[in-house]
Amino acid sequence: MRLELLVNGEQRVVDVPEDVSLLEVLREDLRLTGAKNGCGEGTCGACTVLLGGKAVRACRTPAARAAGQEIITVEGLSPREKEIYTFAFTAAGAVQCGFCTPGMVMEAKALLDRQPEPGEDEIRQAFKAHLCRCTGYQKIITAVRLAGRALRGEIEPRAGDPAGMGKAFFRPDAPAKVLGEAVFVDDMQVPGMLYGAVFRLPCARAKVKAIDVTAAKEQPGVVAVLTAGDIPGERYQGHIFKDWPALVAVGEETRYAGDALALVAARSSREARAALDYIKVDYEELPPLTSPQDSLAPGAPALHPKGNLLSETVIKKGDAEAALKSCAHVVTNTYTTPFTEHAFLEPESAVAVPEDSGLTIYTSTQGVYEIHTQLVSLLNLPPEKVRVVNKCVGGAFGGKEDLSVQHHAALLAWATQKPVKLTWTRRESILCHPKRHAMTITMTTGCDAEGNLVALVADLVADTGAYASLGAQVLERACTHATGPYRIPNVTIRGRAVYTNNPPAGAFRGFGVPQSNFAMESQLNLLATATGLSPWQIRWQNALEPGDTLGTRQVVSADIGLKDTLLAVKEAFESSPCAGIACGFKNVGLGVGTRDVGRARLAVSGGRVKIYSGAACMGQGMEAVLIQIVAETTGLPAALIDCVLADTARTPDAGCTTASRQSLFTGEATRRAAADLAAALKGRTLAGLEGRVFQGEFYGATDPLNSNKEHPVTHVGYSYATQVAILDEEGRVAKVVAAYDVGRAINPLNLEGQIEGGIVMGLGYALTEDFPVQDGIPVRQTLGRLGLLRSHQVPQMEVHLIEKGGTPYAYGAKGIGELATIPTAAAVAGAYYRRDGKLRLSLPLEGTPYARSGK
């Protein structure tokens, strides 16, 4: 089919298949990649363009329908519009990962073209077809209003604050993200590139008897079909435990529906996927184990050679069982929390390119060095022959720590000696990557007559799914944080992570703590009722203070601002009879004796300073953080500072972006390197330091869990928070007031955006998000059915930043990415408990206006 299209004022002619979408034509034929493919189902809005002046979802618009109508993409904005939208979205703090941003900009243009001065409700309604998993929408609404004012001539675009600590410095990556110029992996095109596809079985557990790829190899466009025998190195990989096969071999069992059996490389994505239908597998479907109880039952088949118990964690302080007998009030309940899907907007993608007798893999990950280690092992290549480069990361939240597409793209590229791109569909992403752990938590909590906590006994069972991922570590954090940020003299906690045939469970914002926090905070509400204390008062009198000890026996440091966060929200809580309150805390850094190092290198070249660090930015603003630290330390302006992140050939290993660690660990490494640069600059100019390199490293030493030390250092630091959720008369969340002990806010604007996004994610966890699994298969495999909150459903948010000195590192900065989500579900549950007196023991909460049928 030949199409004549008017795109951004230019006539274009393309020959395309009849069933092609407008998005495919724009991205693949016209190379206009500002419109993103986030879902392929018209749900996320990332592909929004204007067609005849109206906003449409290009992924669901047939290309033929666009003939004869003017098409405007983000690339087609006028220079003035580009200036205004870049300013507005940057100044409002509305840009994080940036994957959804160009679509948001086009929706804003459509709205402001027809209504130059919209109200907040109009903006919320206009954007209800868009999803953003990073920002929480509030700052996007602010950005649209700013853009409207600038377009009306009421204000002029301006620059942000100068770089430095505590400044609203405009993040350098924002303009490219706003205008669709930032390169995500699926935007890449390499000459001669092939496309990959993956074959999987339609069931969760099966014995593979034979695989026949003969017919698939003969299909049009197919260049290679690979199976397990074609892997040159170690087939089993994993982030920590090597229990996950890159390809399941004949004679083995699949362990979940996402397991890969064969790979196809072809000259087009359509040809690669079509060839999958010609792969013939003889298999015997086996009954899946779909719960930890099934897996731990006597006689259950072993899913792994070590059995079905991945790990066990025990925390003990004092004698909790004996202490419970002395308590005036004791409550016991069993809480359940579901699997949850990360739903980052950018599906997983990798481009593997053979070069210099090795491979370069362009990808989207939270840890380039972690991916590098596994690819070296898989391909059996020397480390220097494998390079991993991060492009822009379109959200992650823990869901991009494991291998996903990188190893399959690499295998196909190595076998064919041609570049290969492999991008998952949204369905594949939902089916395959690890989720938040479903947990069952039985907790007994006791206090004295005055409401002082005395003892806690808890048993946690986590469904870690088919493979380990980070399940053992997630379980540890759930256990170490199950006490909440409270003074409890006697603690006994046991946790077990159990293999099943469900999708793997791994890292997800909060890393196990949202689950145990929901249980602990709900218990506290019951004890408040029993003692006659208010929910605020019982938290205040039990809140950790300097010198107290955690459940792990670590001594609480002097920089704790937990009580300050309680004071900040007290009035908001006490002003409403239907307000719920919850506190939370979260470690910063890997801790528990794990070697944890941040690294940075500063190089002076051409009268400029370039920061090199292997830290990944997945939307949190890492580049801005490091530039601000260098500027603060050296006095140099941001205009002379550049940043290169996450490239194993160019940047030092700074560890994975996980555990809320990068601002502290890599921030401190950068500060140390910058301090050396500042010393060298005394009496000299940058020109006089041409070619000099300054190295920085920070090692956060900690002790193993259950160390025999009297007071071990479990983690280098903790952040603390209190949230209040306020319900309206209809029982909907009208407002969330939140206070965070952040140590030192490097960039308050970006920090607020992180927190707001985390709160909205927590609201979804509390109210609308579920991930039911039947026979090991996810029931909901589209983005639109996950229950993600949208702009018109999100309450007002009020954020208080408590700065109380922080750690001795990185100017006192502490992590916030995970903590932002942790107390939300418990605060919302507490609000409903105060409203109707019903204790809700499961998430998402039942009996609310948000509850949906078809669970």
Side-chain angles (χ1 to χ4, degrees):
M1 176 177 66
R2 173 155 289 189
L3 277 181
E4 295 185 8
L5 301 173
L6 178 60
V7 184
N8 297 332
E10 182 182 351
Q11 289 287 347
R12 306 292 294 268
V13 179
V14 292
D15 292 310
V16 294
E18 290 191 3
D19 62 345
V20 74
S21 71
L22 177 57
L23 182 62
E24 290 175 280
V25 172
L26 292 174
R27 289 181 58 81
E28 297 176 17
D29 295 283
L30 304 183
R31 300 301 303 137
L32 296 170
T33 57
K36 307 301 181 187
N37 188 1
C39 65
E41 62 189 67
T43 291
C44 74
C47 64
T48 299
V49 300
L50 302 191
L51 183 62
K54 295 182 179 180
V56 301
R57 314 303 161 226
C59 73
R60 300 296 288 174
T61 302
R65 181 186 148 199
Q69 300 188 69
E70 183 183 26
I71 304 164
I72 300 177
T73 71
V74 70
E75 292 91 343
L77 295 175
S78 70
R80 177 64 172 166
E81 287 174 322
K82 289 182 178 181
E83 178 189 24
I84 285 173
Y85 284 113
T86 296
F87 154 71
F89 275 74
T90 307
V95 183
Q96 289 190 35
C97 85
F99 192 83
C100 70
T101 308
M104 297 273 189
V105 168
M106 297 311 293
E107 191 71 61
K109 174 176 166 57
L111 171 63
L112 294 172
D113 281 354
R114 68 176 183 267
Q115 169 54 284
E117 197 168 353
E120 180 170 325
D121 286 344
E122 287 178 280
I123 298 171
R124 287 179 180 269
Q125 288 297 317
F127 279 81
K128 69 181 182 180
H130 290 260
L131 286 171
C132 178
R133 199 65 160 156
C134 294
T135 66
Y137 304 107
Q138 190 158 283
K139 295 200 180 302
I140 291 169
I141 294 165
T142 301
V144 176
R145 302 183 101 167
L146 270 178
R149 292 183 63 199
L151 288 166
R152 296 191 302 271
E154 297 172 9
I155 58 172
E156 279 297 314
R158 58 174 175 81
D161 292 348
M165 291 298 296
K167 304 294 186 181
F169 170 64
F170 285 3
R171 49 189 299 167
D173 59 341
K177 289 178 174 179
V178 171
L179 300 178
E181 297 167 356
V183 179
F184 295 85
V185 184
D186 196 42
D187 298 335
M188 296 178 63
Q189 288 285 347
V190 179
M193 187 171 74
L194 304 176
Y195 294 80
V198 183
F199 179 89
R200 300 177 179 90
L201 291 177
C203 57
R205 180 172 173 241
K207 179 70 173 289
V208 179
K209 296 180 177 180
I211 303 175
D212 184 356
V213 300
T214 306
K217 289 181 177 180
E218 296 171 353
Q219 297 309 303
V222 172
V223 176
V225 182
L226 305 182
T227 57
D230 298 308
I231 294 176
E234 295 295 327
R235 187 162 55 90
Y236 275 78
Q237 296 297 328
H239 193 79
I240 294 176
F241 298 95
K242 308 299 181 186
D243 64 350
W244 199 334
L247 291 169
V248 176
V250 171
E252 292 183 339
E253 289 184 12
T254 62
R255 296 182 176 92
Y256 86 120
D259 268 332
L261 278 73
L263 310 174
V264 174
R267 293 187 177 89
S268 74
S269 179
R270 288 189 175 213
E271 289 171 326
R273 292 189 179 278
L276 297 179
D277 293 337
Y278 293 87
I279 295 173
K280 304 303 178 187
V281 177
D282 181 13
Y283 65 95
E284 176 189 358
E285 186 170 352
L286 302 171
L289 301 177
T290 58
S291 72
Q293 292 74 26
D294 291 344
S295 290
L296 295 177
L303 300 182
H304 288 270
K306 66 177 288 185
N308 294 340
L309 183 64
L310 168 63
S311 68
E312 186 170 9
T313 295
V314 176
I315 308 291
K316 193 168 179 64
K317 183 177 80 166
D319 189 342
E321 289 79 0
L324 283 172
K325 297 175 183 177
S326 69
C327 291
H329 305 283
V330 176
V331 292
T332 300
N333 287 290
T334 297
Y335 300 85
T336 59
T337 64
F339 290 115
T340 322
E341 159 65 25
H342 297 77
F344 35 73
L345 267 289
E346 177 210 20
E348 293 85 340
S349 185
V351 174
V353 182
E355 52 191 10
D356 300 327
S357 67
L359 276 183
T360 297
I361 296 90
Y362 299 92
T363 190
S364 168
T365 178
Q366 294 175 234
V368 289
Y369 275 91
E370 285 73 14
I371 298 297
H372 177 269
T373 297
Q374 294 175 78
L375 292 182
V376 165
S377 168
L378 180 81
L379 298 169
N380 194 27
L381 288 173
E384 65 274 13
K385 292 297 182 181
V386 177
R387 178 186 179 191
V388 180
V389 182
N390 239 14
K391 306 304 287 184
C392 288
V393 181
F397 317 111
K400 291 180 179 175
E401 293 193 34
D402 300 88
L403 284 173
S404 56
V405 291
Q406 301 92 346
H407 54 329
H408 292 153
L411 285 167
L412 288 168
W414 190 244
T416 61
Q417 284 300 297
K418 293 180 181 295
V420 175
K421 178 193 284 187
L422 205 165
T423 302
W424 276 350
T425 65
R426 177 57 63 176
R427 178 185 174 277
E428 285 179 297
S429 178
I430 291 173
L431 182 72
C432 297
H433 78 243
K435 314 303 171 195
R436 176 179 277 136
H437 283 75
M439 288 193 192
T440 300
I441 302 170
T442 299
M443 184 174 286
T444 299
T445 316
C447 68
D448 62 21
E450 287 73 40
N452 300 305
L453 293 171
V454 174
L456 178 143
V457 174
D459 182 79
L460 294 79
V461 179
D463 186 340
T464 208
Y467 297 106
S469 182
L470 288 123
Q473 291 67 37
V474 169
L475 177 71
E476 278 188 349
R477 285 329 145 262
C479 291
T480 57
H481 291 65
T483 58
Y486 305 112
R487 185 186 312 107
I488 308 180
N490 302 283
V491 175
T492 298
I493 299 168
R494 180 196 183 201
R496 289 168 291 168
V498 185
Y499 285 119
T500 66
N501 291 120
N502 292 322
F508 194 157
R509 196 176 205 165
F511 212 76
V513 185
Q515 295 94 313
S516 57
N517 178 271
F518 169 59
M520 179 59 196
E521 294 293 318
S522 297
Q523 293 284 94
L524 215 49
N525 292 334
L526 296 175
L527 291 176
T529 299
T531 57
L533 296 172
S534 79
W536 186 91
Q537 182 62 40
I538 198 169
R539 287 168 172 82
W540 173 262
Q541 70 186 48
N542 287 288
L544 289 169
E545 296 181 339
D548 289 337
T549 59
L550 304 174
T552 61
R553 295 177 283 111
Q554 179 171 359
V555 176
V556 175
S557 60
D559 69 341
I560 183 172
L562 175 60
K563 284 201 163 183
D564 302 78
T565 70
L566 277 160
L567 289 172
V569 304
K570 183 180 182 183
E571 182 179 351
F573 175 75
E574 293 180 344
S575 66
S576 171
C578 291
I581 188 170
C583 298
F585 76 129
K586 182 65 175 68
N587 60 285
V588 181
L590 303 178
V592 295
T594 306
R595 182 167 176 78
D596 195 358
V597 182
R599 296 183 181 89
R601 182 172 67 245
L602 308 186
V604 181
S605 177
R608 305 178 64 80
V609 176
K610 187 161 285 188
I611 308 166
Y612 293 91
S613 177
C617 180
M618 51 197 191
Q620 79 274 29
M622 195 70 227
E623 184 178 0
V625 165
L626 299 186
I627 288 173
Q628 287 181 258
I629 288 174
V630 172
E632 177 76 18
T633 309
T634 64
L636 293 170
L640 294 179
I641 307 170
D642 304 312
C643 194
V644 175
L645 297 177
D647 178 341
T648 58
R650 302 178 67 194
T651 61
D653 185 0
C656 194
T657 297
T658 187
S660 304
R661 60 180 293 281
Q662 289 293 8
S663 290
L664 192 159
F665 279 74
T666 298
E668 174 61 10
T670 301
R671 189 202 64 78
R672 292 180 180 187
D676 291 342
L677 169 60
L681 274 170
K682 290 181 179 178
R684 306 175 73 174
T685 64
L686 281 176
L689 297 177
E690 181 71 19
R692 290 281 301 275
V693 175
F694 302 86
Q695 307 279 359
E697 181 172 303
F698 170 65
Y699 170 46
T702 55
D703 299 309
L705 202 60
N706 296 318
S707 164
N708 57 14
K709 291 184 178 179
E710 182 180 0
H711 295 299
V713 177
T714 315
H715 293 282
V716 297
Y718 295 85
S719 301
Y720 301 85
T722 306
Q723 287 188 12
V724 169
I726 302 171
L727 304 182
D728 63 18
E729 291 181 357
E730 297 178 354
R732 294 186 175 274
V733 181
K735 187 174 184 179
V736 175
V737 180
Y740 291 83
D741 166 23
V742 298
R744 182 84 184 276
I746 296 177
N747 188 317
L749 179 65
N750 291 342
L751 195 59
E752 285 178 4
Q754 279 268 292
I755 291 170
E756 290 170 4
I759 290 171
V760 171
M761 191 173 280
L763 289 170
Y765 189 46
L767 296 166
T768 58
E769 292 183 43
D770 198 1
F771 196 78
V773 176
Q774 185 173 346
D775 296 327
I777 309 292
V779 173
R780 298 172 183 149
Q781 297 184 22
T782 60
L783 206 58
R785 296 186 63 206
L786 297 176
L788 307 176
L789 291 173
R790 295 177 180 269
S791 58
H792 65 296
Q793 300 170 299
V794 170
Q796 295 292 326
M797 289 172 280
E798 179 184 313
V799 174
H800 300 264
L801 302 181
I802 306 299
E803 297 184 83
K804 200 175 179 182
T807 69
Y809 315 114
Y811 293 105
K814 297 197 289 191
I816 198 65
E818 295 174 280
L819 180 63
T821 294
I822 286 169
T824 313
V828 173
Y832 284 108
Y833 178 64
R834 289 187 76 202
R835 184 174 190 261
D836 58 23
K838 295 178 182 178
L839 178 65
R840 292 163 171 86
L841 299 173
S842 300
L843 296 178
L845 301 169
E846 297 179 347
T848 78
Y850 301 87
R852 58 181 182 172
S853 59
K855 202 172 180 184

